[in-house]
């Protein structure tokens, strides 16, 4: 892609047909432990008296649709079995040990698939919402990987569950900048969350405030990574995992109080209002149509390609979000098969989950050529991206715009 193509796509809010941006390596690392719904009930019975709010939360916990959640320890992990809930300092120490370890392994998997060397990495874009250390956890991951100290790195904060896609979007824009300068870009993208050790903090709030906090039923631990390339300087024969066609970032108005992750002496507190599934589901259709309008190959003669002609890599924030988007977009469970499977087997790992869904999708056999990735974060922020597996779009059915 020429520098002028980069300039035009930015100025006109439209994307050229060939951005020459590809994900060339992808890695996901879950910790070794799996806990079922009974684990939360065990901890609640050990440390908290019965109450109306706790009974309600434990009832919800049995019907989330999650079979197991990935965690850094089992129900007897020392950090969550102290008399008091662990402090933010103790949580930080745990993250910088366990989270960095998971992150390094996820990055190594992505680098191995890419086939390049850490010395060739030009940028690092990372995200987490379960740690706020300075320097950030990405600094320690970089040292473990042996990446050059001159590599440009960015650590995204405040983006929560949308962080994985936000990091890929940021990496894409960095890569386009390198393209404009006619320089190669190999961007390491990393998302890591250690949520399981916040269980006692959440149970404390349920007990003290008598509030129904469903986040404690959903979240899990994971690190995930991709290598994004702008194609400059690549040898022949490198097959992309996904090509990036375009992306969209949108803030839903007046929703700041509906979805968040507030800092607290005992870590962070999930903010999740009952409106979130409805707000998220309603936002997808207009965002999807506007997204496709910015992509000439999907928008012809005032019509956009039908949503059902894409596979969907949706961040599985909860069962109501998945089914809500399925209904709003006239999809079937098959379109969202990877999201359902990750949610059922591993739970919601916040920012790291969307890359895990993308990884699962590409390993589920032959699917639809083009993929819509979508995630929601605090704000509420919507991140959406259109990806392509291999060949160029040909002859998708079109539907009239509403």
């Amino acid at each position: 892609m020429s520098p002028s193509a980069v300039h035009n796509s930015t100025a006109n809010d439209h994307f050229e047909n060939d951005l020459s941006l590809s994900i060339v390596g992808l890695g996901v690392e879950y910790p070794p432990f799996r806990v079922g719904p009974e684990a939360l009930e065990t901890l609640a019975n050990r440390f908290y008296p019965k109450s109306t709010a706790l009974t309600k939360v434990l009832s919800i916990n049995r019907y989330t649709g999650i079979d197991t959640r990935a965690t850094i320890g089992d129900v007897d992990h020392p950090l969550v079995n102290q008399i008091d809930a662990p402090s933010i300092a103790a949580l930080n120490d745990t993250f910088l040990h366990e989270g960095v370890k998971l992150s390094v392994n996820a990055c190594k998997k992505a680098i191995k698939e890419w086939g390049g060397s850490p010395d060739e990495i030009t940028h690092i874009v990372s995200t987490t919402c379960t740690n706020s250390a300075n320097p950030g956890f990405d600094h320690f991951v970089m040292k473990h990987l042996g990446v050059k100290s001159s590599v440009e790195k960015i650590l995204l904060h405040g983006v929560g569950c949308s962080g994985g896609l936000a990091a890929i979007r940021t990496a894409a824009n960095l890569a386009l900048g390198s393209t404009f300068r006619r320089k190669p870009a190999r961007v390491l993208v990393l998302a890591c969350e250690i949520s399981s050790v916040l269980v006692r903090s959440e149970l404390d709030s349920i007990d003290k405030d008598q509030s129904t906090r469903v986040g404690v039923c959903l979240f899990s631990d994971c690190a995930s990574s991709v290598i994004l390339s702008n194609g400059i300087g690549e040898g022949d024969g490198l097959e992309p995992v996904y090509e990036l066609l375009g992306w969209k970032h949108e803030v839903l108005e007046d929703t700041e109080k509906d979805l968040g992750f507030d800092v607290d002496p005992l870590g962070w507190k999930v903010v999740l209002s009952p409106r979130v599934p409805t707000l998220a589901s309603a936002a997808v259709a207009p965002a999807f149509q506007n997204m496709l309008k910015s992509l000439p190959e999907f928008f012809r003669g005032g019509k956009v390609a039908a949503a059902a002609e894409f596979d969907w890599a949706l961040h599985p924030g909860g069962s109501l979000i998945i089914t809500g988007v399925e209904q709003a977009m006239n999809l079937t469970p098959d379109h969202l098969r990877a999201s359902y499977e990750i949610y059922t087997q591993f739970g919601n790992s916040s920012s790291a989950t969307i890359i895990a869904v993308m990884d699962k999708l590409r390993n589920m056999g032959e699917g639809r050529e083009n993929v819509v990735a979508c995630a929601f974060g605090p704000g509420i922020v919507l991140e959406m991206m259109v990806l392509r597996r291999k060949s160029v779009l040909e002859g998708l059915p079109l539907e009239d715009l509403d």
Side-chain angles (χ1 to χ4, degrees):
M1 185 180 64
S2 68
S4 62
V6 176
H7 174 75
N8 289 336
S9 66
T10 303
N12 300 322
D13 197 28
H14 280 68
F15 293 92
E16 297 295 314
N17 282 332
D18 183 14
L19 296 177
S20 297
L21 297 177
S22 299
I23 292 173
V24 294
L26 198 154
V28 177
E29 185 77 2
Y30 281 104
F33 293 93
R34 300 290 180 272
V35 298
E38 69 282 352
L40 179 62
E41 194 153 350
T42 297
L43 287 173
N45 290 335
R46 278 180 186 173
F47 297 103
Y48 301 92
K50 292 183 178 180
S51 66
T52 301
L54 184 57
T55 299
K56 184 175 181 180
V57 169
L58 293 179
S59 178
I60 293 170
N61 178 59
R62 300 183 195 106
Y63 298 100
T64 59
I66 298 172
D67 292 339
T68 56
R69 288 189 275 169
T71 59
I72 61 168
D74 61 18
V75 71
D76 296 316
H77 191 286
L79 191 64
V80 298
N81 280 276
Q82 303 169 3
I83 295 175
D84 298 317
S87 67
I88 196 169
L91 295 170
N92 175 69
D93 291 343
T94 299
F95 187 100
L96 291 181
H97 176 69
E98 298 290 349
V100 168
K101 182 170 63 176
L102 288 178
S103 297
V104 169
N105 289 339
C107 291
K108 285 182 176 179
K109 288 180 179 180
I111 292 169
K112 181 178 180 180
E113 180 173 24
W114 161 42
S117 163
D119 288 340
E120 299 175 70
I121 293 171
T122 58
H123 308 76
I124 300 176
V125 181
S126 306
T127 187
T128 184
C129 64
T130 51
N131 186 256
S132 56
N134 293 280
F137 82 105
D138 57 330
H139 171 84
F140 302 102
V141 173
M142 185 176 74
K143 291 181 67 175
H144 280 286
L145 292 174
V147 175
K148 294 180 294 185
S149 60
S150 59
V151 166
E152 298 180 33
K153 58 187 177 72
I154 298 171
L155 178 56
L156 302 183
H157 176 71
V159 290
C161 292
S162 64
L165 276 188
I168 295 175
R169 170 175 55 82
T170 302
N173 281 310
L174 288 170
L176 288 179
S178 293
T179 300
F180 187 84
R181 299 171 65 193
R182 297 181 173 87
K183 296 177 65 176
R186 307 294 182 266
V187 189
L188 175 66
V189 176
L190 167 64
C192 179
E193 307 292 358
I194 305 296
S195 305
S196 62
V197 290
L198 300 175
V199 59
R200 289 291 306 279
S201 175
E202 289 290 336
L203 287 171
D204 268 16
S205 292
I206 293 167
D207 178 52
K208 294 175 182 177
D209 303 335
Q210 287 299 291
S211 54
T212 305
R213 304 180 62 82
V214 299
V216 73
C217 308
L218 302 174
F219 289 100
S220 57
D221 306 334
C222 180
S224 59
S225 177
V226 306
I227 300 288
L228 187 141
S229 170
N230 68 351
I232 295 177
E234 281 180 1
D236 295 332
L238 184 62
E239 187 72 37
V241 180
Y242 292 106
E243 297 175 36
L244 274 66
L245 306 185
W247 49 86
K248 183 174 182 59
H249 169 90
E250 184 174 298
V251 179
L252 309 187
E253 293 185 4
D254 301 321
T255 60
E256 294 90 351
K257 295 181 179 180
D258 288 289
L259 183 60
F261 206 47
D262 292 343
V263 68
D264 185 87
L266 300 180
W268 293 263
K269 301 288 189 181
V270 178
V271 177
L272 185 61
S273 87
R275 300 201 313 155
V276 170
T278 301
L279 291 168
S281 301
V284 172
F288 172 75
Q289 293 204 356
N290 289 332
M291 166 93 263
L292 293 197
K293 286 180 183 179
S294 70
L295 297 166
E297 64 185 276
F298 294 96
F299 181 52
R300 300 188 297 273
K303 299 178 180 180
V304 295
E309 294 301 323
F310 297 78
D311 273 332
W312 284 69
L314 177 69
H315 170 72
S319 61
L320 292 179
I321 291 178
I322 307 174
T323 57
V325 172
E326 180 183 318
Q327 293 168 8
M329 301 306 293
N330 294 315
L331 304 174
T332 67
D334 179 69
H335 291 94
L336 293 155
R337 59 196 180 279
S339 299
Y340 277 116
E341 186 156 337
I342 290 294
Y343 179 73
T344 301
Q345 293 184 356
F346 300 103
N348 176 356
S349 304
S350 191
S351 68
T353 319
I354 190 66
I355 297 174
V357 173
M358 292 162 58
D359 183 47
K360 174 60 68 174
L361 182 61
R362 55 110 172 221
N363 289 310
M364 297 182 83
E366 185 176 352
R368 298 164 183 85
E369 180 183 29
N370 300 289
V371 178
V372 177
C374 183
F376 300 92
I380 293 173
V381 167
L382 178 149
E383 296 280 353
M384 186 174 284
M385 189 169 289
V386 179
L387 310 167
R388 180 168 56 213
R389 284 194 171 99
K390 290 183 181 179
S391 60
V392 178
L393 173 74
E394 294 181 358
L396 278 186
L398 300 175
E399 61 184 10
D400 292 330
L401 288 174
D402 293 332

